[in-house]
Structures are given as C-alpha cells and as structure tokens.
Amino acid sequence: MRELMTIAVDARAAKAAVARLDTNAKNAGLHAIADALIEHTAEILAANQLDLDAGRANGLNDGLLDRLTLTADRIKGIAEGCRQVATLPDPIGEVLWQRTRPNGLRIGLRRVPMGVIGIIYEARPNVTVDAAALCFKAGSACILRGGKEAFHSSKCLADLMRNALDACGLPKDAINLVEDTTRESANQMMKLNGYLDVLIPRGGAGLIRAVVQNATVPVIETGTGNCHIYVDAAADLDMATRILVNAKCQRISVCNAAESLLVHRDVAAAFLPMAQTALAADHVILHGCPRTMELLGDAIVPATEEDYAKEYLAYEISVKVVDSLEQAIDHINRYNTGHSECIVTESYSAAQRFTDEVDAAAVYVNASTRFTDGFEFGFGAEIGISTQKLHARGPMGLEALTSQKYVIFGNGQVR
C-alpha cells in the first residue's frame, strides 16, 4: 500500500506528463480503460460483492447500499461514460479570446490543466472511474480517496485503470487511489498544499462540510440535494404526477432526487390525492403541512421545520400547500440546497418567473430533476454537482476541471 505522501509525490511528478499528452493519446487511454472494465466485469462484481456483504453486516441503509451496488449494466454505463468523455472536444489549449492592445501586445486567454485534482467521496464506486476519466481528459493527474464502504470496488477499478494506461504507454500515476480509508488520510489530503491544486468533496453533507471547513487547499464545493417539485395552479396534473414519481422514486439515493413537493392551493384538492396514490406504489411516506393533512387524512405525518430542509435519500417526501407562486419561490429559496428545482406549469409567465428567481444550479420547467447529471447533459461523466457560485456551478464536466492562462505576445514592448 502506497502512503499518501508517496502518492502525492507520484501524482505531482505525473502531472506534467499528463498535461503534455495530445488528444489522441488521452482518448486512447480512455477507450483502453472502458475495454478493461468490460473485460473484467466479473472481477469487479466479485470485489463489489465483498463491499455489499460488509455493508449489509454493518447496517448500511437501502439508499447507501444502492449507491454502493454495481451491476453488469451499471459497469457498462460507467464504461460508456469513459467512451463519451473520449468523444468530447478536448478543452486543453482552447483559446477563449485574443485581443491586440494599442501598444501592439497580443493578449490571449487559454484553457490549461489544473494539475493535480483530489477527490474525496463516499460509498460510490462509479465515482472512481468517472472522476479519473474526466481528470485524465482534462490533462490532470488525480488522487482519489473513496470511503471504506466501497474499498474493494474502488481498489479493483483503480488497479484496472492504472494497468490499462500502463499497457498503452501512458503514465499510470495519472490515476491514484488512497487505500488508507481512515479519517486521518482525509484530513491529510485537505492539507496537501504544494501537491493538490484543488480538492473536490463528493458525498453527504457531513463530508462536504468537513472538507470546506478544514481544507487549506482550494476546494470546489459540491452539494447535497433538497430538490423541490412545485405544481403550479396552471399545471397539467397528469404530467405533474409522472414527474413527481420519477423525481422521487426512480432512484432515491441520489442528490437530484426530489425531497419536497409544493402544490398551489388552487389545484391541491385535485392533485394531492393523485400524488398520494401514485407514490403509494413505492410506499413513500408523506410529511405534510396542516392543509395537506386536511386533504389526505391521518396517513400523513405532520411536517416539521426539519422536514422542509431535509435530504431524505429515502422513500419519504415533505409536502406543503402554498398560496402563490411567490410563496413557492420563497419557500424553495429558504430551504433548498442550491441543487435542482422544478416547476410544472402551462403558464409561460410563471415558468419565466420561476427560472429567473429560484436560486439553484439547475432549474427545470416541466421535467424531472433527475436529469441534473453529467451524462444526461452530454458531458460523458461528471466530477460532481457544484452548488457554489465561484468557478463552476451545476454538473461539472471537462471545462469545470480546467484553469486558465494568459499568453501575451509582444515585439519588445516595455512599460
């Protein structure tokens, strides 16, 4: 097992070699990784089963077990993500603009690699590949530190990726996994000044908060998802029902799943029974306001202030009847996490106001919040969903993993 400082030194040494790779070499590496994942599917599943067995023995909830689980289809999807990243335009070297000053200086702004990117994440083995693929195409080395729950899966995936790069004559230290999953290794990563150029946490609220509060290296903050579905007075109620069920139930363990439902009072009596019936198929628990309880009866759990702010990651949802679009927007901006928000409406003016005034990285009109995803946005994969406003916001693909450099050409100018 390589020590963290050894990994940091190796990654820093590899970053120049990765930055020099041309697009064809990087794409060849990504296709080799995808091929290796498919070829070694049985090996990956065996490693994943060790993690699943340990997770069940340690009492992991269904949401975390779902995030942890790999299947043959999910591995195919991860491999396809690598191939999609290979098809994307290479951002490195792109000239964003170029201008000539009155003194004859030609000043240009160019995209360049970050250098060494660190990612701390939890029980999500797919992140091991997604993050590595994006960092590699973006011309950077990476240091990956997953959670102990996914250790065997992440180790297997990282070894396969490193071997695939090595077999292509590419620097295997472009991809590095920290095998020490203790809290101490995470704390050390947060303070790898001089080795890490940026650190990205991807996981639950506790992990993100710990990194943001304790890191001395630059951090891009990814966020939890208290996502809302607002059913407007002018909504198509059948459409609203389909969107709600998909956003809440299609996969409960992800940050773009809906956790809160707001319904305009004018359609509450008609829509809430429809929603209750549709959600009952998945045994979703409703935490409702007094007006919701009046309409739906004793089966509704009284909603608390904590419920409105909660990311359940379970078959539970908070429900509130609102008097107006303005009240819905105010409620969302008070309780949301800046992730993804949806309005269901046939009103153009309501849709425009919602998209203008709701403060979130992704705002939807008549579509499920489950689309906030790098793969769905055409990025191939994603490094995470940024809910901050500096540098990157929303699904973070290749461009979000680059920096910029000014390049100035002169012919002897002095100041």
Side-chain angles (χ1 to χ4, degrees), residues 58-102:
N58 292 324
L60 287 186
N61 63 41
D62 289 343
L64 287 176
L65 285 172
D66 178 62
R67 288 183 175 183
L68 180 58
T69 299
L70 293 176
T71 64
D73 283 343
R74 287 187 180 181
I75 293 170
K76 287 180 183 176
I78 294 168
E80 177 59 26
C82 291
R83 298 194 198 282
Q84 283 201 14
V85 172
T87 66
L88 296 174
D90 191 341
I92 301 305
E94 177 188 0
V95 177
L96 300 175
W97 55 258
Q98 184 168 293
R99 302 166 189 161
T100 301
R101 298 292 298 153

Side-chain angles (χ1 to χ4, degrees), residues 13-68:
K15 73 176 183 179
V18 181
R20 287 194 299 268
L21 294 176
D22 64 24
T23 302
N24 289 336
K26 290 188 287 188
N27 290 345
L30 291 169
H31 283 295
I33 287 171
D35 291 342
L37 297 181
I38 298 301
E39 182 180 348
H40 294 275
T41 293
E43 182 180 338
I44 297 168
L45 292 176
N48 185 242
Q49 191 60 52
L50 295 175
D51 292 328
L52 289 171
D53 291 343
R56 292 188 181 99
N58 292 324
L60 287 186
N61 63 41
D62 289 343
L64 287 176
L65 285 172
D66 178 62
R67 288 183 175 183
L68 180 58

Side-chain angles (χ1 to χ4, degrees), residues 36-366:
L37 297 181
I38 298 301
E39 182 180 348
H40 294 275
T41 293
E43 182 180 338
I44 297 168
L45 292 176
N48 185 242
Q49 191 60 52
L50 295 175
D51 292 328
L52 289 171
D53 291 343
R56 292 188 181 99
N58 292 324
L60 287 186
N61 63 41
D62 289 343
L64 287 176
L65 285 172
D66 178 62
R67 288 183 175 183
L68 180 58
T69 299
L70 293 176
T71 64
D73 283 343
R74 287 187 180 181
I75 293 170
K76 287 180 183 176
I78 294 168
E80 177 59 26
C82 291
R83 298 194 198 282
Q84 283 201 14
V85 172
T87 66
L88 296 174
D90 191 341
I92 301 305
E94 177 188 0
V95 177
L96 300 175
W97 55 258
Q98 184 168 293
R99 302 166 189 161
T100 301
R101 298 292 298 153
N103 62 3
L105 287 177
R106 288 185 291 123
I107 303 175
L109 183 61
R110 179 189 300 172
R111 288 195 188 277
V112 296
M114 284 278 193
V116 179
I117 300 172
I119 302 99
I120 297 180
Y121 52 104
E122 294 175 332
R124 307 179 185 197
N126 64 294
V127 176
T128 302
V129 181
D130 291 350
L134 285 169
C135 291
F136 186 71
K137 181 66 180 269
S140 288
C142 66
I143 300 177
L144 311 171
R145 193 274 188 192
K148 65 180 183 296
E149 297 85 359
F151 170 74
H152 296 95
S153 306
S154 296
K155 175 74 164 57
C156 181
L157 292 167
D159 287 347
L160 289 171
M161 290 190 291
R162 285 170 57 86
N163 290 340
L165 292 183
D166 196 38
C168 294
L170 300 170
K172 67 179 182 180
D173 287 333
I175 300 172
N176 304 275
L177 180 74
V178 179
E179 296 182 32
D180 179 358
T181 59
T182 65
R183 183 173 297 180
E184 180 59 28
S185 69
N187 291 336
Q188 289 177 357
M189 274 191 74
M190 297 178 203
K191 296 173 169 49
L192 278 178
N193 298 76
Y195 296 91
L196 277 186
D197 293 285
V198 66
L199 180 60
I200 303 170
R202 183 171 176 181
L207 168 65
I208 295 167
R209 183 168 54 250
V211 172
V212 170
Q213 292 177 352
N214 296 308
T216 57
V217 297
V219 173
I220 298 176
E221 182 177 355
T222 63
T224 55
N226 180 20
C227 305
H228 296 73
I229 304 294
Y230 167 56
V231 181
D232 186 48
D236 177 326
L237 300 188
D238 289 330
M239 177 194 291
T241 303
R242 292 194 303 272
I243 289 172
L244 171 64
V245 171
N246 179 263
K248 176 68 258 183
C249 303
Q250 195 256 346
R251 194 172 179 193
I252 60 168
S253 64
V254 289
C255 58
N256 56 22
E259 306 287 16
S260 300
L261 169 64
L262 303 178
V263 183
H264 193 285
R265 66 181 182 185
D266 290 353
V267 295
F271 179 72
L272 283 175
M274 295 171 63
Q276 183 181 37
T277 300
L279 294 172
D282 288 291
H283 308 288
V284 177
I285 298 170
L286 277 61
H287 300 257
C289 68
R291 284 193 284 185
T292 302
M293 298 178 70
E294 288 175 12
L295 290 167
L296 298 182
D298 296 338
I300 305 305
V301 179
T304 65
E305 190 83 1
E306 181 183 358
D307 285 311
Y308 292 132
K310 190 169 185 178
E311 183 187 35
Y312 291 105
L313 301 177
Y315 288 107
E316 300 182 64
I317 193 168
S318 67
V319 186
K320 184 178 178 65
V321 177
V322 295
D323 293 324
S324 64
L325 171 63
E326 180 180 21
Q327 187 180 358
I329 293 171
D330 288 344
H331 180 95
I332 290 170
N333 286 340
R334 176 178 178 183
Y335 293 106
N336 81 340
T337 53
H339 198 293
S340 301
E341 308 297 343
C342 165
I343 181 174
V344 184
T345 186
E346 298 297 301
S347 166
Y348 177 80
S349 62
Q352 285 297 106
R353 184 172 179 191
F354 190 87
T355 58
D356 286 346
E357 297 183 19
V358 166
D359 188 7
V363 185
Y364 291 83
V365 179
N366 297 331

